Amino acid sequence: MSKNTLAVVITQSGETADTLAALREARKKGALSISICNVVGSMATRETDGTVYTHAGPEIGVASTKAFTTQIVALHLLAMYLGQIRGTLTPETAKPHIEGLMQMPLLLEQALKCEPIAEEIARRFYQRSDFLYLGRGINYPIALEGALKLKEISYIHAEGYPAGEMKHGPIALIDEQMPVVTIAPDDHVFEKMIGNIQEAKARGGSVIALTTEGHTGLRDLLDPAQDVQIEVPRSHPLLTPVLMAVPLQLLAYHIAVRRGCDVDQPRNLAKSVTVE
């Protein structure tokens, strides 16, 4: 770490202790710093060299969708800006990214229409004790996010895993009682995700598959009596994580409500982590 390093700290509250400690360590070593933050005037915004505000509005619930999705968008914009000033992203190649971001409010509105399906899935699976979430590439972190939200607000054990490594452990857990949530948009790794779904079904697991609207690749693979498909609108491939987060968080919400959990104030969680 040196003066040629840019430290980017991501914190909704701007007060998270471990993030601030890492920021101070980076600055001590001479790195420049920026924060991706939601709270104006918070500690992180005062101590970094610059801030990209997410403008998500007050975070009422700890496990909020808007804080997460706006952070992804802010990071996408930052990456585009860095690409442009380094000359690796031309105005022509930047155009699809900009158009994708401009369409995002409308696409998110459409994605929210999956709520009745999320509610139906919750009704079917809310009594299960374990869930497995699988994603590939940029959607692997979204699998982690989906599992995290289920843990945070419904208190069900859930594990997010890179789909390519499913055979290295998690496959041993799959049985009739283990729902497997797969993030399978119509992208360059879709065929590989089909392999994961087939493996899960061969072991009796129920599959909850998130895929791209209008894509028929899973039609013959899923059994309506056992499996469920959720469709999200088609978007720029690098923006699919924003849309995929919505049904995953709706699913966690409805499962938590059915289990009688307080979604707005999950037990043991704090608005900002004040200790390292």
Side-chain angles (χ1 to χ4, degrees), residues 124-146:
R124 285 172 58 179
F125 295 104
Y126 77 98
Q127 291 179 312
R128 302 295 175 90
S129 58
D130 302 276
F131 276 69
L132 178 63
Y133 287 69
L134 299 174
R136 285 179 182 265
I138 58 171
N139 283 304
Y140 161 49
I142 305 306
L144 293 176
E145 168 67 10

Side-chain angles (χ1 to χ4, degrees), residues 15-80:
E15 306 290 344
T16 307
D18 51 352
T19 309
L20 291 171
L23 165 65
R24 288 159 187 161
E25 188 66 23
R27 287 176 62 85
K28 200 185 298 180
K29 294 181 182 298
L32 286 169
S33 61
I34 63 171
S35 56
I36 309 288
C37 188
N38 189 35
V39 181
V40 177
S42 58
M43 190 71 75
T45 66
R46 296 200 303 272
E47 293 193 18
T48 47
D49 297 303
T51 300
V52 179
Y53 284 110
T54 54
H55 299 291
E59 187 188 61
I60 307 303
V62 174
S64 71
T65 308
K66 63 183 183 179
F68 180 73
T69 51
T70 52
Q71 285 170 351
I72 297 175
V73 171
L75 289 164
H76 197 99
L77 287 166
L78 175 63
M80 283 177 60

